[in-house]
Amino acid sequence: MTAMETLDPADWGEFSRIAHRAVDRAIARTAALRDRPVWRPVPQAVRDSLRQPLPVAPTPLDQVVDQAWDTVLDYPMGNTHPRFWMWYMGASSLTGALADFLAAADGSNLGGGNHAAADCERQVIDWLRQIMGFPEGASGTLTSGGSVANLIGLTVARNRMAGVDLREGGVAALPRPLRFYASDQVHGCHQKALELLGLGNRALRRVPTGPDCRMDMAALAQAIAEDRTGGWQPACVIASAGTVNTGAIDPLPALADLCRDQGLWFHVDGCIGALARLSPRHAPLLDGIERADSLALDPHKSLHVPFEAGCVLVRDAAAHLGSFALHSEYLDPALRGIAAGGWLFDLGVQTSRGFRALKVWMMLREHGTARFGRIIGRNIDQARRMADRIDAHPRLVRLSPVTLDIVCFRHDPGGLDPAALAALNGEIMMRLQEQGVAAFSDTTVHGQHGLRAAICNHRTTDEDIDAALAAVLRTGDELTATHARSA
Ligand SMILES: *Cc1c(COP(=O)(O)O)cnc(C)c1O
């Protein structure tokens, strides 16, 4: 008798051997990460091998895994490598990977319901709430990342500050257009959020920053006063607790006071800095974050949880629910059984939700918050180390103050105009990536172009910092010499 066709393995033992082999390879790869280049371009042959006709017929799993291993998995982005400091993201972790596997095998839908995975998410939210110093009873949810965490926070802000039933009437019902304020360093996801919220990019007023890249409080107060007389309704201040460009932290206590006095919603984008509260030496930098009405943070950055894992906390749980809860007759909560116990999708935009909580739960349990604090603190020390070496070198110039773990600088041999200097540093960045030596990004700080290291990486050593800076100098000097010869 042939077995009924399902998606389960025909031979469980065979599946187990294939799966164990895949796990062993992933472990070996991770253990030897340092010996690999940070990044390699995908060879054309590999690209071609990934363009295949729609598979109609089956392929044995061991072949599928081998193909994934030799193609997709052999040319990663590089962010797990100790010398990857591009953009700002986590370096992942095998415990998180294991948790992702277990969560997927569990298979629960975190839209809600009466099961342990839902309790696990509630526990994780409560831990993150405690880390952030939010009051008991505050609400929160795990999201795909910081962008959606911010979107949720800003949605609650918009609905709460509208003064009309915005869910029913939409933005057309607003008596006056709402205005949100953020520094000119604010992350791009906020513009996208206000566009999606129907308020438009113009509703996000960018407040200038000083040389320290922090919001200018006097300019903010003036902007709000102007808007009040100019037909706008000031609604919300978005503080950056760690800007994406330089890691600057807006003056949180002063902003919290201003929002209280002016009756504005206080949203904090803490995707970069919030979790630095885990480092006792650096927690005071974040003072005031616990006064936010809503706060976005990003476990897939400083906690190195595999993507995707963001989080939003909302002080007023009723306001949070009031923006997202829906009551559909087919989802009425039951008294007992699987449908008892409340819906987690009432706190965000997704209906079906993955079991993201398990990887955060397992990583926090395994390592404990103190270890995360030490690693975050070490990354900040490494940024300081890099900054000190830059400051001490005649051909390296720092472009911004170092507050957290981000350093902006450039190689400057002297005598180059801004375009040539930008071309030189862009070339340094690309060569170091192509050689697999180190991954910096480039950015522009107050009109000055340079390289940027975002040292959010639990594998980075001090020696990595020194070696990468030496490579910047060597490459910069070579390029300058070649340029001088050919000129
Ligand atoms: C990373 C980041 C975001 C966006 O978060 P994602 O997790 O990438 O969606 C928002 N704000 C800041 C300051 C960030 O660094």
Side-chain angles (χ1 to χ4, degrees):
M1 182 185 98
T2 52
M4 183 188 72
E5 192 169 54
T6 74
L7 301 181
D8 283 331
D11 178 341
W12 295 92
E14 167 75 355
F15 181 88
S16 175
R17 280 188 294 281
I18 295 169
H20 278 94
R21 195 160 142 260
V23 169
D24 288 341
R25 283 168 119 180
I27 293 169
R29 160 79 52 90
T30 305
L33 261 181
R34 178 172 287 287
D35 305 327
R36 291 169 62 90
V38 175
W39 174 81
R40 304 183 293 170
V42 184
Q44 193 55 45
V46 171
R47 285 232 147 94
D48 291 345
S49 79
L50 284 168
R51 263 194 297 271
Q52 290 172 348
L54 178 70
V56 176
T59 308
L61 180 61
D62 53 351
Q63 286 177 36
V64 177
V65 173
D66 281 349
Q67 209 215 354
W69 195 261
D70 295 337
T71 55
V72 187
L73 300 174
D74 213 18
Y75 298 91
M77 178 183 239
N79 54 299
T80 55
H81 193 281
R83 284 189 304 279
F84 184 99
W85 310 309
M86 284 185 87
W87 308 303
Y88 197 103
M89 61 176 88
S92 202
S93 99
L94 283 181
T95 297
L98 189 60
D100 257 352
F101 169 78
L102 294 175
D106 176 279
S108 296
N109 186 330
L110 271 282
N114 185 14
H115 50 89
D119 290 333
C120 178
E121 173 157 343
R122 291 192 179 91
Q123 171 70 88
V124 164
I125 291 297
D126 197 59
W127 284 341
L128 294 172
R129 174 192 70 73
Q130 291 175 40
I131 293 170
M132 291 305 142
F134 264 48
E136 226 170 294
S139 170
T141 187
L142 294 180
T143 61
S144 54
S147 302
V148 171
N150 280 304
L151 173 64
I152 290 173
L154 298 187
T155 303
V156 182
R158 180 197 66 175
N159 295 357
R160 257 306 155 108
M161 301 307 292
V164 293
D165 184 351
L166 208 134
R167 288 187 70 182
E168 182 61 24
V171 287
L174 283 170
R176 297 197 296 166
L178 299 178
R179 187 87 98 167
F180 287 53
Y181 305 84
S183 89
D184 57 19
Q185 302 292 307
V186 74
H187 190 276
C189 73
H190 295 278
Q191 172 177 340
K192 228 189 245 188
L194 290 191
E195 291 170 5
L196 288 168
L197 290 173
L199 301 172
N201 180 35
R202 267 206 304 162
L204 181 57
R205 185 161 177 172
R206 274 74 162 185
V207 178
T209 50
D212 57 2
C213 297
R214 305 169 82 210
M215 194 168 347
D216 177 335
M217 290 299 297
L220 171 64
Q222 195 192 332
I224 293 170
E226 266 172 32
D227 283 350
R228 285 203 194 282
T229 57
W232 293 88
Q233 186 184 331
C236 171
V237 176
I238 302 167
S240 300
T243 61
V244 64
N245 226 8
T246 72
I249 301 171
D250 285 332
L252 302 175
L255 288 170
D257 288 347
L258 177 140
C259 286
R260 181 198 56 208
D261 297 345
Q262 297 261 358
L264 303 182
W265 187 274
F266 181 36
H267 176 81
V268 176
D269 180 350
C271 286
I272 284 181
L275 286 160
R277 276 176 68 97
L278 291 175
S279 168
R281 292 184 291 135
H282 301 100
L285 292 170
L286 282 314
D287 280 353
I289 208 168
E290 73 289 348
R291 294 173 62 190
D293 292 302
S294 51
L295 166 62
L297 60 143
D298 231 357
H300 66 200
K301 290 179 177 167
S302 338
L303 297 187
H304 307 287
V305 171
F307 301 115
E308 300 174 346
C311 173
V312 62
L313 299 175
V314 181
R315 173 176 304 276
D316 177 349
H320 189 183
L321 267 178
S323 276
F324 291 98
L326 271 187
H327 293 290
S328 313
E329 45 292 343
Y330 56 94
L331 291 171
D332 269 348
L335 291 178
R336 295 194 316 279
I338 302 170
W343 299 114
L344 294 171
F345 59 60
D346 275 347
L347 299 170
V349 288
Q350 290 178 265
T351 304
S352 292
R353 302 173 68 250
F355 187 8
R356 314 185 160 98
L358 188 64
K359 53 193 170 187
V360 186
W361 187 88
M362 280 179 53
M363 290 184 66
L364 284 173
R365 297 266 313 177
E366 183 197 12
H367 297 298
T369 56
R371 176 177 295 161
F372 284 107
R374 286 191 296 276
I375 290 172
I376 291 167
R378 184 173 72 212
N379 281 159
I380 298 172
D381 292 343
Q382 287 168 335
R384 187 73 257 159
R385 179 186 181 92
M386 191 181 268
D388 289 344
R389 276 160 173 62
I390 289 164
D391 294 348
H393 197 283
R395 289 191 303 290
L396 295 175
V397 177
R398 193 142 59 85
L399 300 181
S400 62
V402 170
T403 310
L404 294 170
D405 47 10
I406 301 179
V407 187
C408 299
F409 70 103
R410 67 185 172 204
H411 185 267
D412 185 350
L416 295 183
D417 63 33
L421 207 48
L424 170 67
N425 282 275
E427 184 63 27
I428 295 172
M429 174 186 79
M430 291 185 282
R431 287 201 182 191
L432 295 189
Q433 290 171 14
E434 285 164 351
Q435 293 162 4
V437 170
F440 293 90
S441 61
D442 65 345
T443 189
T444 300
V445 183
H446 286 157
Q448 297 199 299
H449 174 272
L451 302 174
R452 171 175 166 282
I455 312 170
C456 178
N457 194 318
H458 60 97
R459 302 190 176 100
T460 299
T461 62
D462 291 358
E463 293 69 34
D464 286 320
I465 301 288
D466 298 350
L469 266 188
V472 167
L473 269 170
R474 194 167 58 240
T475 308
D477 288 347
E478 276 166 24
L479 285 165
T480 313
T482 316
H483 186 75
R485 271 201 305 280
S486 63

